[in-house]
Amino acid sequence: MRMVTIPEMTVPETRAAGACAVELRDATVRLGGRDVLSGLSMRVEAGSFVAILGPNGAGKSTLLRVVLGLQQLAAGEVLVEGRAPRRGARRIGYVPQLASIDRDLPLRGRDLVRLGLDGHRWGLPTRARDARATVDAAIDAVGAASYADRPVGRLSGGEQQRLRIAQAMLAEPSLLLCDEPLLGLDLAHQQGVTALLDGARRDRGATVLFVTHEINPVLPYADQVLYLVGGRHALGAPGDVLTTESLSALYDTSVEVLHVGSRLVIVGGDPDHGDGHHHHDHGLLAGPS
């Protein structure tokens, strides 16, 4: 596997250097006879925000499945807080891709959130009074109290995502895995959801792995970028990875990274498009709130 070498990122002074949340060593995932990930080595510092970028099929969601303990490696090693990953680890919060929900499903927003408290457990559930207080606190933290008692299928995409984030945060996880949390959301909701996840990271010291196609809303928060393309990867600080030189080497074709006002635009070859001139316009740059 050819890796684009990027200078090692500097850990901000506001965080304790040295603690490792996730580490992959020469990790390879093989699906259908093809190496989706190949020879990936990376160390994610505790408390950092890592944006995982790349075209469809590049292995972004597969990487999250590896960290969740749902996908085995064909070669290499993965450690989550120093241990092998395992299914149902309580210290990991997961925000899945936004899925369509039946408008008439008799499930309130708060019921969806509570699934994060009891849905994975065997044995006796949490006491009702304690559970309600915990769920209410999580809903308040994401600003969803005004619609938490409405049917979840009748909520907007942004409202549903806030509830999914509340669900993921119930156990006060040390690691948040977010799989395309901005998919299908308008710009305002993209900015709101990204700021919300970064706020949870800063308030609770959680580490965030954030899979997305929408680069610009994430850039103000990302300490590190992992860009996956066709079995290759580039890893480093956003300003080092998201450059014409780095992405041209990664795609093995001419790619231009343009700064148009407050917007980052990537133009060039995309393995998903045979013309070699696909245009990536990733929306307006969102500032931190």
Side-chain angles (χ1 to χ4, degrees), residues 5 20 47 49-50 65 78 92 97 110 143 156 163 169 261 269 274 278:
T5 302
C20 184
F49 190 119
V50 180
R65 288 178 55 81
V78 58
I92 297 180
Q97 291 188 20
R110 71 173 54 258
S156 71
L163 291 167
M169 295 301 298
H278 187 62

Side-chain angles (χ1 to χ4, degrees), residues 117-138:
L117 192 63
D118 296 330
H120 66 290
R121 293 183 173 182
W122 294 94
L124 294 175
T126 306
R127 288 189 307 168
R129 182 179 300 175
D130 293 341
R132 183 173 182 87
T134 301
V135 169
D136 284 347

Side-chain angles (χ1 to χ4, degrees), residues 10 19 22 35 40 57 89 97 117 127 144-145 163 176 233-234 261 267 274:
T10 302
V22 177
D35 286 353
L40 175 59
Q97 291 188 20
L117 192 63
R127 288 189 307 168
L163 291 167
L176 267 172
H233 65 276
V267 182

Side-chain angles (χ1 to χ4, degrees), residues 13 115 124 273:
E13 294 180 359
L115 289 174
L124 294 175
H273 298 77

